[in-house]
PDB file of all heavy atoms in Angstrom:
ATOM      1  N   VAL A  21      18.991-235.937-202.583  1.00 79.00           N
ATOM      2  CA  VAL A  21      19.873-236.942-203.150  1.00 79.00           C
ATOM      3  C   VAL A  21      20.481-236.389-204.430  1.00 79.00           C
ATOM      4  O   VAL A  21      19.772-235.913-205.314  1.00 79.00           O
ATOM      5  CB  VAL A  21      19.097-238.250-203.451  1.00 79.00           C
ATOM      6  CG1 VAL A  21      20.010-239.287-204.069  1.00 79.00           C
ATOM      7  CG2 VAL A  21      18.435-238.779-202.198  1.00 79.00           C
ATOM      8  N   PRO A  27      16.154-236.881-210.491  1.00 83.00           N
ATOM      9  CA  PRO A  27      16.133-235.460-210.842  1.00 83.00           C
ATOM     10  C   PRO A  27      16.531-234.566-209.657  1.00 83.00           C
ATOM     11  O   PRO A  27      16.152-234.835-208.515  1.00 83.00           O
ATOM     12  CB  PRO A  27      14.676-235.199-211.223  1.00 83.00           C
ATOM     13  CG  PRO A  27      14.015-236.512-211.304  1.00 83.00           C
ATOM     14  CD  PRO A  27      14.857-237.517-210.610  1.00 83.00           C
ATOM     15  N   ASP A  35      -0.051-235.324-209.404  1.00 89.00           N
ATOM     16  CA  ASP A  35      -0.038-236.279-210.499  1.00 89.00           C
ATOM     17  C   ASP A  35       0.169-237.684-209.927  1.00 89.00           C
ATOM     18  O   ASP A  35       0.998-237.887-209.049  1.00 89.00           O
ATOM     19  CB  ASP A  35       1.089-235.929-211.476  1.00 89.00           C
ATOM     20  CG  ASP A  35       1.005-236.706-212.766  1.00 89.00           C
ATOM     21  OD1 ASP A  35      -0.121-237.034-213.186  1.00 89.00           O
ATOM     22  OD2 ASP A  35       2.071-236.966-213.362  1.00 89.00           O
ATOM     23  N   HIS A  39      -7.710-238.288-209.265  1.00 90.00           N
ATOM     24  CA  HIS A  39      -8.155-236.938-209.657  1.00 90.00           C
ATOM     25  C   HIS A  39      -7.035-235.905-209.557  1.00 90.00           C
ATOM     26  O   HIS A  39      -7.294-234.711-209.517  1.00 90.00           O
ATOM     27  CB  HIS A  39      -9.364-236.477-208.830  1.00 90.00           C
ATOM     28  CG  HIS A  39     -10.475-237.466-208.811  1.00 90.00           C
ATOM     29  ND1 HIS A  39     -11.239-237.752-209.927  1.00 90.00           N
ATOM     30  CD2 HIS A  39     -10.932-238.279-207.814  1.00 90.00           C
ATOM     31  CE1 HIS A  39     -12.126-238.668-209.611  1.00 90.00           C
ATOM     32  NE2 HIS A  39     -11.961-239.017-208.349  1.00 90.00           N
ATOM     33  N   SER A  43       1.795-230.546-212.725  1.00 88.00           N
ATOM     34  CA  SER A  43       2.123-229.116-212.686  1.00 88.00           C
ATOM     35  C   SER A  43       2.543-228.635-214.069  1.00 88.00           C
ATOM     36  O   SER A  43       2.597-227.435-214.323  1.00 88.00           O
ATOM     37  CB  SER A  43       3.259-228.866-211.697  1.00 88.00           C
ATOM     38  OG  SER A  43       4.414-229.557-212.123  1.00 88.00           O
ATOM     39  N   PHE A  67      17.274-220.506-210.463  1.00 95.00           N
ATOM     40  CA  PHE A  67      18.368-219.755-209.843  1.00 95.00           C
ATOM     41  C   PHE A  67      19.235-219.046-210.890  1.00 95.00           C
ATOM     42  O   PHE A  67      19.721-217.939-210.651  1.00 95.00           O
ATOM     43  CB  PHE A  67      19.213-220.664-208.945  1.00 95.00           C
ATOM     44  CG  PHE A  67      18.439-221.149-207.756  1.00 95.00           C
ATOM     45  CD1 PHE A  67      18.078-222.476-207.642  1.00 95.00           C
ATOM     46  CD2 PHE A  67      18.043-220.264-206.769  1.00 95.00           C
ATOM     47  CE1 PHE A  67      17.341-222.916-206.562  1.00 95.00           C
ATOM     48  CE2 PHE A  67      17.296-220.690-205.677  1.00 95.00           C
ATOM     49  CZ  PHE A  67      16.947-222.032-205.575  1.00 95.00           C
ATOM     50  N   LYS A  68      19.408-219.673-212.032  1.00 96.00           N
ATOM     51  CA  LYS A  68      20.153-219.020-213.117  1.00 96.00           C
ATOM     52  C   LYS A  68      19.398-217.782-213.592  1.00 96.00           C
ATOM     53  O   LYS A  68      19.986-216.722-213.821  1.00 96.00           O
ATOM     54  CB  LYS A  68      20.370-219.991-214.273  1.00 96.00           C
ATOM     55  CG  LYS A  68      21.301-221.120-213.911  1.00 96.00           C
ATOM     56  CD  LYS A  68      21.344-222.171-214.984  1.00 96.00           C
ATOM     57  CE  LYS A  68      22.155-223.337-214.455  1.00 96.00           C
ATOM     58  NZ  LYS A  68      21.843-224.575-215.103  1.00 96.00           N
ATOM     59  N   SER A  78      17.665-207.199-216.903  1.00 95.00           N
ATOM     60  CA  SER A  78      16.804-207.655-217.994  1.00 95.00           C
ATOM     61  C   SER A  78      15.711-208.589-217.494  1.00 95.00           C
ATOM     62  O   SER A  78      15.865-209.256-216.474  1.00 95.00           O
ATOM     63  CB  SER A  78      17.629-208.441-219.025  1.00 95.00           C
ATOM     64  OG  SER A  78      18.642-207.655-219.563  1.00 95.00           O
ATOM     65  N   ILE A 117      18.360-213.205-225.995  1.00 98.00           N
ATOM     66  CA  ILE A 117      19.675-213.804-225.784  1.00 98.00           C
ATOM     67  C   ILE A 117      19.454-215.127-225.061  1.00 98.00           C
ATOM     68  O   ILE A 117      18.877-215.155-223.968  1.00 98.00           O
ATOM     69  CB  ILE A 117      20.595-212.877-224.967  1.00 98.00           C
ATOM     70  CG1 ILE A 117      20.764-211.544-225.702  1.00 98.00           C
ATOM     71  CG2 ILE A 117      21.944-213.558-224.720  1.00 98.00           C
ATOM     72  CD1 ILE A 117      21.474-210.479-224.916  1.00 98.00           C
ATOM     73  N   GLN A 133      18.223-228.358-228.989  1.00 96.00           N
ATOM     74  CA  GLN A 133      17.066-227.603-228.500  1.00 96.00           C
ATOM     75  C   GLN A 133      17.329-226.095-228.511  1.00 96.00           C
ATOM     76  O   GLN A 133      16.435-225.302-228.803  1.00 96.00           O
ATOM     77  CB  GLN A 133      16.660-228.071-227.102  1.00 96.00           C
ATOM     78  CG  GLN A 133      16.043-229.445-227.086  1.00 96.00           C
ATOM     79  CD  GLN A 133      14.794-229.527-227.943  1.00 96.00           C
ATOM     80  OE1 GLN A 133      13.995-228.606-228.009  1.00 96.00           O
ATOM     81  NE2 GLN A 133      14.623-230.655-228.630  1.00 96.00           N
ATOM     82  N   LEU A 145       8.893-215.970-235.297  1.00 93.00           N
ATOM     83  CA  LEU A 145       8.468-214.772-234.573  1.00 93.00           C
ATOM     84  C   LEU A 145       9.203-213.510-235.023  1.00 93.00           C
ATOM     85  O   LEU A 145       8.941-212.432-234.511  1.00 93.00           O
ATOM     86  CB  LEU A 145       8.651-214.982-233.065  1.00 93.00           C
ATOM     87  CG  LEU A 145       7.938-216.200-232.467  1.00 93.00           C
ATOM     88  CD1 LEU A 145       8.154-216.271-230.968  1.00 93.00           C
ATOM     89  CD2 LEU A 145       6.445-216.164-232.789  1.00 93.00           C
ATOM     90  N   ASP A 164      26.898-219.462-212.325  1.00 96.00           N
ATOM     91  CA  ASP A 164      28.257-219.779-211.874  1.00 96.00           C
ATOM     92  C   ASP A 164      29.266-218.764-212.411  1.00 96.00           C
ATOM     93  O   ASP A 164      30.182-218.350-211.704  1.00 96.00           O
ATOM     94  CB  ASP A 164      28.680-221.182-212.339  1.00 96.00           C
ATOM     95  CG  ASP A 164      27.783-222.277-211.803  1.00 96.00           C
ATOM     96  OD1 ASP A 164      27.346-222.175-210.640  1.00 96.00           O
ATOM     97  OD2 ASP A 164      27.521-223.234-212.547  1.00 96.00           O
TER      98      ASP A 164
END
Side-chain angles (χ1 to χ4, degrees):
V21 179
D35 191 31
H39 309 291
S43 62
F67 294 111
K68 292 172 187 156
S78 300
I117 301 171
Q133 289 301 322
L145 304 182
D164 300 322

